[in-house]
Amino acid sequence: MSKQLKALLEKKASLQQEARAMHENITKETRAMTEDEQTKWAELRAELDSVNSTIDALQEMRNLEEGEENVDGDTPAPTDEQVADGEHRAFANYIRAIISKEDRADANLTLSASSNAIVPKSVAKKIVARVYDISPVVEKATKYVTKGTLEIPVYGANSGTDITVAYANEFTDLESKIGKFTSVELQGFLAGALTKLSNSLINNTDLDLVNFVVERIAYEVARFMEGELLNGTDTKIAGITSLEAGQIIETATVGVIDGDDLISLKNKVKQAFRKGAMWVVSTETKSSIEKLKDENGRYLFTEDLTGEFDGKILGYPCYVSDAMVEADEGNTAIYFGDFAGIALKWTEQLEIQVLREKYATQHATGIVAWVEADSKVENNQMLAGLTVKSA
């Protein structure tokens, strides 16, 4: 996009914002326009028409120069960059309440049955990408992007009749054994992530509103999803709380986590499933583990030189989550393993609802991002938990 075209688009947004403010002021006071306002309105409309005409001309000239129109006069397909620019601009205008029907159609910003705006794909992808960046628990989970109920087959042992490999002799039949299949059912639970923005920020045309909103929504969604994956909610998302009881061990001492407990927890996950394993703890639990030493006086907790995680415990990265419970008696205070063992079904087609009047007295605008998700453990061998023993 050229600097001239970008400047004109910003000018258009500014004029639309000014027109909207004038309209809201007159509507609020339930009166007719004054002569000065009529003159100003006419000037705004004339300037908007001029800006729109210039934008159309620039876009047409660019298409001609780049040879994007074929001999039949068909309109060429826009590039990915052009589509993303249009979607970002329309999304920002929607939040500022100055989006037109044409803008909404051009940028794939449709309305759902509940009158919420469907976030354009390019913006939704940025939000989802940031959610993954913010939360490694969500990022590592095995994602199923679909709607409706989903059943995932899970293979497990069957009382000693599991499939085996054994030596065989020629002309001798192999013994047939049947493994046991169970299933994990994932539904769709609706959740909303609410964030509030200052109207002063929204009306600031110098602010990259889309990236600002993406960051805020992604943070709220990531915090919610991580909390559900680690703690679950009764009759809703279960997350890692659906882990088989056999994969949860208890500390040897009441109310205390020691080095031997950590070794036992690590070994509860077989070596074959530890390649992408990590520890998940709370801040306080991490502080306690940092003080633990082995029999040679060496700390079990070491620094992570990559800076990606808070450190390493027994050679595996440690992630500190605000959603994890503290190491109190009876709490499962540490999880270890590869979180790809958790199945996460959700739709990456987000819905946005803008709440203008609800927070008007705070000079703020509320933005709700609606997500539909469910999660359960699909491979119990990849994860294990440590519960603090009670008296």
Side-chain angles (χ1 to χ4, degrees):
M1 181 184 296
S2 66
K3 291 183 179 180
Q4 183 182 6
L5 181 56
K6 182 178 179 181
L8 286 169
L9 290 172
E10 292 174 351
K11 179 65 175 178
K12 176 181 176 180
S14 177
L15 292 170
Q16 288 175 323
Q17 175 66 18
E18 190 174 352
R20 183 174 69 89
M22 182 181 295
H23 178 268
E24 289 178 349
N25 187 46
I26 295 169
T27 303
K28 184 178 179 180
E29 297 176 4
T30 62
R31 60 175 176 81
M33 284 186 178
T34 65
E35 289 186 7
D36 290 341
E37 287 172 335
Q38 291 177 7
T39 302
K40 180 63 175 177
W41 185 263
E43 291 175 353
L44 284 172
R45 290 191 59 182
E47 192 168 1
L48 267 172
D49 289 341
S50 176
V51 170
N52 284 330
S53 296
T54 307
I55 290 173
D56 292 341
L58 284 174
Q59 290 175 332
E60 185 177 354
M61 285 188 291
R62 184 176 62 178
N63 290 340
L64 289 172
E65 289 174 356
E66 294 177 356
E68 292 181 344
E69 288 193 345
N70 60 31
V71 293
D72 296 325
D74 293 334
T75 302
T79 65
D80 291 341
E81 183 181 355
Q82 290 171 334
V83 171
D85 285 342
E87 290 180 349
H88 285 207
R89 184 170 63 254
F91 185 55
N93 286 343
Y94 170 71
I95 296 172
R96 292 187 171 111
I98 56 176
I99 186 169
S100 65
K101 291 182 179 179
E102 293 76 14
D103 288 335
R104 189 164 62 222
D106 290 343
N108 302 317
L109 189 63
T110 57
L111 294 181
S112 67
S114 58
S115 297
N116 297 334
I118 304 296
V119 181
K121 288 184 179 180
S122 61
V123 179
K125 286 180 179 179
K126 290 186 69 173
I127 294 175
V128 172
R130 281 299 295 144
V131 170
Y132 295 165
D133 289 342
I134 294 170
S135 173
V137 173
V138 179
E139 190 273 331
K140 286 179 176 292
T142 300
K143 265 78 69 177
Y144 297 90
V145 183
T146 183
K147 293 184 178 180
T149 301
L150 175 68
E151 283 201 8
I152 304 171
V154 178
Y155 181 82
N158 186 19
S159 303
T161 61
D162 203 8
I163 296 174
T164 58
V165 178
Y167 289 107
N169 296 317
E170 290 183 320
F171 308 111
T172 302
D173 290 337
L174 289 173
E175 182 182 354
S176 175
K177 295 186 178 182
I178 301 175
K180 178 183 177 183
F181 277 91
T182 58
S183 65
V184 170
E185 183 178 273
L186 299 178
Q187 303 177 38
F189 298 106
L190 187 65
L194 172 65
T195 184
K196 288 192 292 185
L197 301 180
S198 163
N199 286 342
S200 297
L201 288 175
I202 291 176
N203 296 329
N204 183 357
T205 57
D206 293 331
L207 174 71
D208 188 346
L209 184 60
V210 172
N211 284 333
F212 186 83
V213 171
V214 164
E215 193 68 27
R216 292 294 298 272
I217 291 178
Y219 174 76
E220 297 297 338
V221 172
R223 187 171 64 172
F224 170 80
M225 291 303 302
E226 182 172 291
E228 292 304 290
L229 263 60
L230 294 175
N231 298 310
T233 298
D234 290 341
T235 72
K236 300 291 184 181
I237 296 175
I240 201 171
T241 60
S242 63
L243 189 64
E244 287 182 353
Q247 289 299 107
I248 304 292
I249 64 174
E250 196 175 54
T251 60
T253 307
V254 174
V256 176
I257 297 175
D258 60 27
D260 290 343
D261 294 325
L262 297 179
I263 294 173
S264 297
L265 178 60
K266 182 197 73 172
N267 292 336
K268 190 67 179 176
V269 177
K270 293 182 179 180
Q271 179 68 41
F273 298 109
R274 291 187 214 154
K275 185 176 181 180
M278 67 178 181
W279 306 83
V280 179
V281 299
S282 70
T283 301
E284 298 251 337
T285 303
K286 175 205 159 192
S287 297
S288 299
I289 293 174
E290 283 183 300
K291 302 171 186 176
L292 296 178
K293 297 179 181 179
D294 62 16
E295 57 185 8
N296 296 318
R298 295 172 299 188
Y299 286 102
L300 300 180
F301 187 94
T302 58
E303 296 296 325
D304 180 10
L305 299 180
T306 66
E308 183 179 359
F309 290 90
D310 291 78
K312 291 186 176 183
I313 302 172
L314 301 175
Y316 293 93
C318 175
Y319 173 63
V320 176
S321 172
D322 293 334
M324 280 296 292
V325 297
E326 302 299 346
D328 297 328
E329 293 183 17
N331 286 348
T332 302
I334 304 176
Y335 286 112
F336 173 77
D338 186 348
F339 280 75
I342 296 180
L344 171 61
K345 183 192 82 70
W346 74 333
T347 171
E348 294 183 349
Q349 187 180 42
L350 306 179
E351 291 187 11
I352 293 291
Q353 185 176 14
V354 178
L355 309 177
R356 307 186 199 286
E357 297 181 2
K358 183 176 177 64
Y359 301 104
T361 56
Q362 301 178 24
H363 197 248
T365 297
I367 299 179
V368 181
W370 296 101
V371 296
E372 183 181 309
D374 193 10
S375 174
K376 287 185 177 73
V377 173
E378 70 171 355
N379 191 333
N380 288 276
Q381 299 179 85
M382 300 177 75
L383 296 158
L386 178 67
T387 298
V388 181
K389 189 174 184 179
S390 300

